[in-house]
Amino acid sequence: MCEFCRQLEERLNPEARVRIKILGSGCEKFNNLGEKTKKALDKLGKNVRIAYVTDLYEIARYGVDKIPALVVDEKVVSFGEVPEEEIIRILNENL
């Protein structure tokens, strides 16, 4: 989906907005963080879109020095290896 179409969809349907981003290189830790985040969202009963960001320039915009990183509503909330219980707590506080 092009950037214009994505922005249009978000304006017309606020629920379609990406609220969570996983930043990383596509490595095993990156994939594990994505899976843990999906499980945490399921446990919390939240239906939230997740975007996976591997572009180094976009990752650099967030100022993280360790990946993978978890971003909620454009705010970095954790980075590195994070236990699932901690992800549940973070999402519960930030969503």
Side-chain angles (χ1 to χ4, degrees):
M1 176 182 299
C2 72
E3 182 64 19
F4 174 77
C5 295
R6 186 190 61 75
Q7 289 180 6
L8 182 61
E9 180 183 13
E10 287 178 3
R11 287 182 183 224
L12 295 175
N13 181 9
E15 292 298 312
R17 184 171 63 96
V18 174
R19 297 190 61 196
I20 296 176
K21 294 180 182 178
I22 309 293
L23 311 179
S25 63
C27 66
E28 184 178 346
K29 288 182 181 181
F30 172 83
N31 293 327
N32 287 342
L33 181 57
E35 289 302 314
K36 288 178 185 177
T37 302
K38 286 179 189 176
K39 287 179 185 176
L41 289 169
D42 286 344
K43 287 182 180 180
L44 292 170
K46 305 276 186 180
N47 185 18
V48 180
R49 288 180 49 188
I50 300 174
Y52 295 88
V53 179
T54 57
D55 179 69
L56 294 178
Y57 293 109
E58 188 168 348
I59 291 170
R61 284 187 30 229
Y62 289 94
V64 297
D65 56 354
K66 189 173 181 182
I67 54 174
L70 178 63
V71 176
V72 178
D73 290 333
E74 297 302 312
K75 179 178 122 187
V76 177
V77 293
S78 74
F79 52 87
E81 193 71 33
V82 183
E84 188 175 336
E85 297 79 29
E86 181 70 7
I87 294 172
I88 291 172
R89 185 190 64 73
I90 290 168
L91 295 178
N92 200 30
E93 289 175 0
N94 290 282
L95 289 178

